Amino acid sequence: MAKIPEVNLLNSCDKKTMPVIGMGTATKPLNDHETTKAAILEAIKAGYRHFDTAFAYGTEKTLGEAIAEALRLRLLNSRDDLFITTKLWASFSQRDLVVPAIKMSLRNLQLDYVDMYLIHWPLKLSQEVRQMPVENEHVFPLDIKSVWEGMEECQNLGLTKAIGISNFSCKMLQELLFIAKIPPAVIQVEMNPLWQQKQLRELCRAKGVHITAFSPLGSGKTKWGDNRILENDVLKEIAELKGKTTAQISLRWVYEQGVSLVTKSYNKERMKENLQIFDWSLTDEESNKISQLSQCKGISFVAILGPHDLMLELDAET
């Protein structure tokens, strides 16, 4: 079983470390219950201890059942072996709905607490929204001050060990940091060798906010993504020289930027390959070549700058 390094979380939170690589549970279309449960159990056997879900993914209940099964089979010593992240969906992004929303997620997960609770998107959707994309009349600006007060209450009540955000821009993060009593411990965003988030990384280093990268390999099997990373000539060349896969080169580069990762594969062998990035490193020359790759406009999502730009998929890996 692979041993996964942990990263220190600097901002106020009750759990001080987080595994640097986790398994994402979002799929489009949604995989059936048994397939997802079996994949999570295989991931636990392989060494994964961080699992990333969300109310919108429809996988909270399946993850909860897999955790219970893993404990029954003694694949884990206790629930405390795991780091579980879930997210506040945009339909619940108002002050009085935040605590009920996390309690609903905890019931789905069969847990007393999660380790990280994130605001999924920096906007509010009307509660009648059930599918995506949505009409503009159902999209509203996020009242970040009041919603963050709800997130802080979740942590103060012990329902989550830490709180954070997802898909926020630099400007939105700065706005939040200005008003937060408990600063966000983590921001989860798309990041990979072709979408490098340089400005955000600089801001987060200065403010002690840790970045978790989703889609570190792009989203090649989705209708919004492509294979620009796995087919990139620079990454391929480095992979061939080092005897690694192109995916491993991409994941290692992200990791070397001081960023943790959420990977997503239900294939047993690729799960293991994704964990085999910690006993070697890129040379300075290799790392610089990757850092100089041309930027694209985001492989999975373009950053949301305002509510009327919203065109997203409910089950997307966010």
Side-chain angles (χ1 to χ4, degrees), residues 23-128:
M23 177 184 177
T25 61
T27 58
K28 180 67 176 179
L30 182 67
N31 279 326
D32 67 87
H33 171 81
E34 291 303 322
T35 297
T36 301
K37 181 179 176 181
I40 293 168
L41 289 171
E42 286 296 338
I44 290 173
K45 292 176 185 177
Y48 288 84
R49 292 297 180 263
H50 180 192
F51 290 89
D52 181 272
T53 185
F55 175 83
Y57 298 165
T59 56
E60 288 179 332
K61 289 183 178 180
T62 304
L63 176 56
E65 289 185 20
I67 293 170
E69 180 76 357
L71 290 168
R72 187 184 68 81
L73 295 173
R74 298 186 179 179
L75 301 177
L76 301 166
N77 294 320
S78 74
R79 181 267 179 263
D80 291 342
D81 290 346
L82 296 175
F83 192 103
I84 304 300
T85 295
T86 193
K87 306 177 187 75
L88 174 75
W89 182 236
S91 294
F92 309 129
S93 289
Q94 64 184 58
R95 177 66 179 85
D96 60 334
L97 296 180
V98 179
V99 170
I102 193 174
K103 288 182 176 179
M104 180 166 53
S105 288
L106 290 173
R107 288 194 296 271
N108 289 339
L109 289 161
Q110 302 178 47
L111 298 176
D112 296 325
Y113 69 91
V114 291
D115 300 279
M116 184 67 64
Y117 196 47
L118 305 178
I119 297 177
H120 203 153
W121 284 95
L123 47 83
K124 183 180 183 300
L125 299 178
S126 60
Q127 292 185 46
E128 52 270 27

Side-chain angles (χ1 to χ4, degrees), residues 144 148 165 168 171-180 184:
I144 185 59
W148 193 251
I165 53 180
F168 274 50
K171 181 180 179 181
M172 293 167 178
L173 172 57
Q174 288 174 315
E175 178 185 349
L176 173 57
L177 289 169
F178 182 74
I179 57 93

Side-chain angles (χ1 to χ4, degrees), residues 58-264:
T59 56
E60 288 179 332
K61 289 183 178 180
T62 304
L63 176 56
E65 289 185 20
I67 293 170
E69 180 76 357
L71 290 168
R72 187 184 68 81
L73 295 173
R74 298 186 179 179
L75 301 177
L76 301 166
N77 294 320
S78 74
R79 181 267 179 263
D80 291 342
D81 290 346
L82 296 175
F83 192 103
I84 304 300
T85 295
T86 193
K87 306 177 187 75
L88 174 75
W89 182 236
S91 294
F92 309 129
S93 289
Q94 64 184 58
R95 177 66 179 85
D96 60 334
L97 296 180
V98 179
V99 170
I102 193 174
K103 288 182 176 179
M104 180 166 53
S105 288
L106 290 173
R107 288 194 296 271
N108 289 339
L109 289 161
Q110 302 178 47
L111 298 176
D112 296 325
Y113 69 91
V114 291
D115 300 279
M116 184 67 64
Y117 196 47
L118 305 178
I119 297 177
H120 203 153
W121 284 95
L123 47 83
K124 183 180 183 300
L125 299 178
S126 60
Q127 292 185 46
E128 52 270 27
V129 170
R130 291 295 179 269
Q131 61 184 2
M132 296 304 196
V134 301
E135 299 295 330
N136 285 345
E137 64 197 62
H138 294 295
V139 185
F140 307 94
L142 180 70
D143 181 350
I144 185 59
K145 185 176 187 299
S146 67
V147 173
W148 193 251
E149 287 173 354
M151 298 289 286
E152 290 172 332
E153 184 179 1
C154 290
Q155 183 169 331
N156 290 332
L157 290 171
L159 302 174
T160 181
K161 299 294 185 182
I163 50 178
I165 53 180
S166 179
N167 299 301
F168 274 50
S169 66
C170 289
K171 181 180 179 181
M172 293 167 178
L173 172 57
Q174 288 174 315
E175 178 185 349
L176 173 57
L177 289 169
F178 182 74
I179 57 93
K181 294 178 181 176
I182 302 176
V186 162
I187 179 170
Q188 189 178 114
V189 293
E190 179 183 359
M191 180 180 160
N192 51 58
L194 295 180
W195 188 235
Q196 295 185 7
Q197 298 281 11
K198 292 180 180 179
Q199 183 180 359
L200 181 64
R201 280 191 280 142
E202 291 175 4
L203 174 61
C204 287
R205 271 195 296 267
K207 301 298 184 180
V209 181
H210 179 72
I211 297 177
T212 296
F214 67 78
S215 296
L217 303 177
S219 298
K221 293 185 178 180
T222 66
K223 64 184 180 182
W224 59 82
D226 55 42
N227 290 317
R228 269 182 283 188
I229 290 177
L230 296 182
E231 294 178 355
N232 182 271
D233 289 339
V234 171
L235 297 175
K236 280 184 176 181
E237 179 184 359
I238 295 172
E240 289 174 3
L241 289 172
K242 299 187 83 70
K244 306 295 181 182
T245 67
T246 308
Q248 287 173 324
I249 297 300
S250 179
L251 296 178
R252 179 70 198 189
W253 180 85
V254 173
Y255 169 64
E256 289 187 2
Q257 309 315 303
V259 173
S260 58
L261 313 99
V262 171
T263 61
K264 186 177 64 179

